[in-house]
Amino acid sequence: PLMDENGEAIGPYRVWLPNMMLPGLAMARSIGDDIAATVGVHATPEVRVHHITEKDKFMVICSDGVWEFLSNEDVVGIVQACQGDAEKACKDLVAKSLQAWRAEEEVVDDITALVVYFQKY
């Protein structure tokens, strides 16, 4: 991990090349990243099967830039409020995430959102 001025670990564990501060990514999986592959990052995904039932209303897939400041409950509320409009849900998630990042940090991480509704509203 990165260390602060007191030698304390800060942030998540990251992948580094042995003698360089690259790529510095907090990840375990990556597709097509030849540099990260040299230090143990691989493209083999973890797979979980979930059979969709009538209880399942939508699916949300987001980058860590969304989950950094928004809770599961925040995300569900935003997506439910969009009443089946997946494009609006994605835009609202990105906007809310960006707002939270700017309120808390000097930099903004990547923010990516994908919403799929399983049922019509």
Side-chain angles (χ1 to χ4, degrees), residues 4-114:
D4 66 13
E5 60 275 357
N6 299 319
E8 299 289 324
I10 57 172
Y13 286 98
R14 296 180 178 273
V15 177
W16 303 101
L17 288 175
N19 299 311
M20 298 178 76
M21 295 292 283
L22 292 171
L25 299 174
M27 64 179 179
R29 309 280 184 287
S30 180
I31 297 172
D33 190 330
D34 293 334
I35 294 174
T38 66
V39 290
V41 177
H42 58 89
T44 306
E46 292 180 25
V47 177
R48 178 176 167 230
V49 175
H50 174 80
H51 297 283
I52 297 170
T53 70
E54 66 267 357
K55 288 183 175 182
D56 298 307
K57 307 299 183 200
F58 51 82
M59 174 177 63
V60 179
I61 301 172
C62 298
S63 66
D64 61 337
V66 172
W67 302 114
E68 182 72 23
F69 296 110
L70 299 183
S71 69
N72 290 343
E73 293 78 14
D74 293 334
V75 170
V76 166
I78 291 166
V79 173
Q80 284 178 331
C82 293
Q83 300 182 348
D85 185 340
E87 184 174 350
K88 179 173 179 7
C90 290
K91 287 180 178 179
D92 288 359
L93 285 170
V94 169
K96 192 71 167 175
S97 298
L98 182 59
Q99 179 184 24
W101 271 96
R102 288 185 173 153
E104 297 290 331
E105 302 285 340
E106 292 181 25
V107 297
V108 175
D109 199 358
D110 65 299
I111 299 172
T112 304
L114 171 70

